[in-house]
Amino acid sequence: MITAPTRRRRALALALAVLGATSVAACSGGSGPEGGRPRSSAGPADPADRPDLRRFYEQKLAWKPCGDHRCASLTVPMDYSRPGDGKTFVLPVVKAVTAVRGKRVGSLVLNPGGPGERGVRLVEDGVADDIGRGVRERFDIVSFDPRGVGESRPALTCTPPGPEAAAEEPPAEGSADTPAAAPLHPRTEAERADALASARTTAADCRKASGPLLPHVGTHDAARDLDVLRAALGERRLTYVGWSYGTSLGTSYAEQFPRRVRAMVLDGAVDPSLDWRQRVLGQSTGFRKAVEEYAATCAETVGDACPGATPEEIRALIDRLVERTQREPLPVEGSESGLDAAALVSALGLSMYTPEAQWEPLSEALRAADGGDGTKLAALASGEEEEDTEGSESAEGAADTVGAGGTDEGSAEPGAPEGSASAVPEDNSEAALVAINCLDVPHPRDARAYWDALGPAEKAAGVHGTTGVTNELVCRDWPSGPQRPHRVRAEGVPPVLVVGTTGDPATPYEEAVSLARQFPGGMLLSLDAPGHTGYGRNPCVDRKVEQYLIDLTEVRPGTTCTG
């Protein structure tokens, strides 16, 4: 199914998954005169006409076969304020050629979310086959790995090169040196000092490994890359679908280039007017409500696999496991550390994205955990059941394809820290997620702001709220730009279609309502169902979205599909 594949996330990623979108369109993640405010048009002069950007806008994509698809690479400036300094990102692009001659409208560009999810992998995994026939006949399906993500070169990593990257031998289980699990709600001065130290270490590791890249991976700049891609595809206007964080990328594009939008679907929407604390509270509350919905409807959804006969039994089981794992981790096969409370909360939250596929495995995992085995819950928390550990043919083809102007410029990773290429893991989504979110969203430097947020977060969302707040601490020590929460400013953009799911745990429905109102002529399509995003999960939503993409058919106010 076509869903925003953001389920492969650990505890930190869960809390941050869409927080970076709160103000991404307001300012540049990089530097330069265009970084201060959203613009109501492409500007006094079209960027494609700027002499120093012309070579990027005029590049031709050199497509070559890669499996069932075609791959190319796109070269974009690392710093749009200094595009001639020789520093670039080379982004892999993949295309499923599906348009029928005589019916072709153009290219449909997709972004799967994250931030940090790979667009190339989305197409490799068969998204084109899942899209409706009418859309496939009229559009070639295109996606790409954004700057710093996946097979982008250079790519982000938080694994420092050199000795720091060497894995340390874990202490023996139960030894005096075994670190205590971090509490879900740090209350004492010592617990808070430990939380700050851990977050500071993570931020320092990312600076060591990817320091020169960190100011240049923001969503504002990624949206400018999207316009370079539009031009390289030969499209006068962009047709776009973005899920989850992809709605932030789309919103930023619409603000910077409103008159270059043909059609835009933003599914699982993020409201750019909310600050970091509002986003934490909203998202954490969404996860709490989703888990409560799981307990209330488990029997009718998964039947005998349900780990309790009544909602009360399921809630009691979850509470019992939270209390137990805070005292001592559950044993996990093949692991010395086991399943702690943070991993349990992560497994619960990540299992709320697609109930129709995930609630049965969650039920089985909870039943096993209640019997003392945390192995299945640990797999859910880490996303092991979804990971594809093998390198992909099309990704490799895209990364190897010649860049702009027929050269291999950028392939040597200019501007990347020495030795970083070897330290970039095959899946760098977690590093990218943290880097982009922390850059995009202004966070307080004073630790007191986070401690003050813990009480309201716990009241609103319990353990989901407190873990959400503490996981934001890493952004306290992060380089940041002048971003501010703001309402959308995109005068001249055609009607944008926003899809909101009433039971969405990660991007609360209220944000979709708000975002649709902020766009001039914005349209809201509601899905009355649990789960994250709607397009690709519901036939009614699919039909409305695809009528809009093909014929620009507007959705009437109040239109609601049911799950």
Side-chain angles (χ1 to χ4, degrees), residues 294-299 306-317:
Y294 160 73
T297 63
C298 180
C306 214
T310 66
E312 290 73 24
E313 286 187 12
I314 298 173
R315 295 188 189 101
L317 184 156

Side-chain angles (χ1 to χ4, degrees), residues 67-127:
D68 295 331
H69 307 116
R70 300 188 67 79
C71 293
S73 64
L74 181 78
T75 302
V76 295
M78 184 171 290
D79 186 342
Y80 274 93
S81 70
R82 294 183 294 177
D85 65 2
K87 297 179 179 180
T88 62
F89 285 99
V90 177
L91 312 180
V93 183
V94 64
K95 174 172 65 173
V97 181
T98 54
V100 175
R101 184 174 298 180
K103 292 186 177 182
R104 188 181 189 277
V105 173
S107 300
L108 171 60
V109 180
L110 310 178
N111 180 273
E117 292 295 340
R118 293 183 50 202
V120 167
R121 180 166 292 172
L122 180 73
V123 175
E124 290 171 353
D125 287 347
V127 68

Side-chain angles (χ1 to χ4, degrees), residues 293-305:
E293 177 72 7
Y294 160 73
T297 63
C298 180
E300 63 188 80
T301 305
V302 302
D304 292 340

Side-chain angles (χ1 to χ4, degrees), residues 12-20 114-115 283 433-434 437 471-472 474-475:
L12 171 63
L14 173 63
L16 290 172
V18 293
L19 297 178
Q283 187 183 57
L433 182 146
V434 175
N437 281 336
N471 285 333
E472 290 295 298
V474 66
C475 296

Side-chain angles (χ1 to χ4, degrees), residues 108-390:
L108 171 60
V109 180
L110 310 178
N111 180 273
E117 292 295 340
R118 293 183 50 202
V120 167
R121 180 166 292 172
L122 180 73
V123 175
E124 290 171 353
D125 287 347
V127 68
D129 296 331
D130 294 333
I131 289 176
R133 178 179 176 182
V135 170
R136 295 200 315 273
E137 288 181 344
R138 291 165 175 82
F139 295 93
D140 294 324
I141 309 302
V142 176
S143 195
F144 68 106
D145 289 358
R147 53 175 54 211
V149 173
E151 294 292 334
S152 160
R153 290 296 176 263
L156 290 159
T157 177
C158 288
T159 303
E164 297 93 336
E168 297 182 2
E169 186 71 22
E173 187 173 1
S175 72
D177 296 328
T178 302
L184 298 181
H185 186 157
R187 300 178 187 274
T188 68
E189 289 300 320
E191 288 173 345
R192 293 180 176 185
D194 287 345
L196 289 173
S198 177
R200 194 176 299 117
T201 297
T202 298
D205 286 347
C206 292
R207 285 195 299 270
K208 290 177 185 176
S210 299
L213 304 186
L214 297 184
H216 303 293
V217 295
T219 303
H220 181 95
D221 285 337
R224 298 196 65 171
D225 298 343
L226 185 56
D227 196 55
V228 175
L229 175 61
R230 172 203 57 79
L233 290 170
E235 304 294 345
R236 187 173 66 87
R237 293 191 296 167
L238 177 71
T239 303
Y240 175 85
V241 173
W243 290 272
S244 196
Y245 162 80
T247 68
S248 298
L249 181 62
T251 296
S252 182
Y253 184 91
E255 291 197 302
Q256 296 181 74
F257 308 103
R259 291 179 174 82
R260 286 212 277 275
V261 174
R262 175 190 170 272
M264 180 170 286
V265 178
L266 305 179
D267 184 4
V270 178
D271 183 352
S273 71
L274 304 181
D275 64 24
W276 77 274
R277 178 167 165 167
Q278 291 170 319
R279 283 297 305 132
V280 168
L281 289 175
Q283 187 183 57
S284 300
T285 301
F287 281 112
R288 176 186 62 78
K289 290 180 177 178
V291 173
E292 290 176 351
E293 177 72 7
Y294 160 73
T297 63
C298 180
E300 63 188 80
T301 305
V302 302
D304 292 340
C306 214
T310 66
E312 290 73 24
E313 286 187 12
I314 298 173
R315 295 188 189 101
L317 184 156
I318 292 173
D319 290 344
R320 187 163 63 246
L321 288 174
V322 169
E323 182 179 351
R324 180 176 177 180
T325 53
Q326 288 188 95
R327 293 195 311 268
E328 183 179 4
L330 288 174
V332 171
E333 184 178 346
S335 168
E336 294 188 14
S337 57
L339 178 92
D340 62 14
L344 169 62
V345 173
S346 179
L348 289 169
L350 295 174
S351 297
M352 298 299 111
Y353 279 72
T354 50
E356 62 272 22
Q358 294 179 287
W359 280 7
E360 185 168 350
L362 173 64
S363 298
E364 295 171 351
L366 288 173
R367 189 184 297 277
D370 198 35
D373 184 359
T375 304
K376 290 184 177 181
L377 276 177
L380 293 177
S382 65
E384 289 177 4
E385 78 286 355
E386 295 183 287
E387 293 292 352
D388 178 7
T389 58
E390 297 298 321

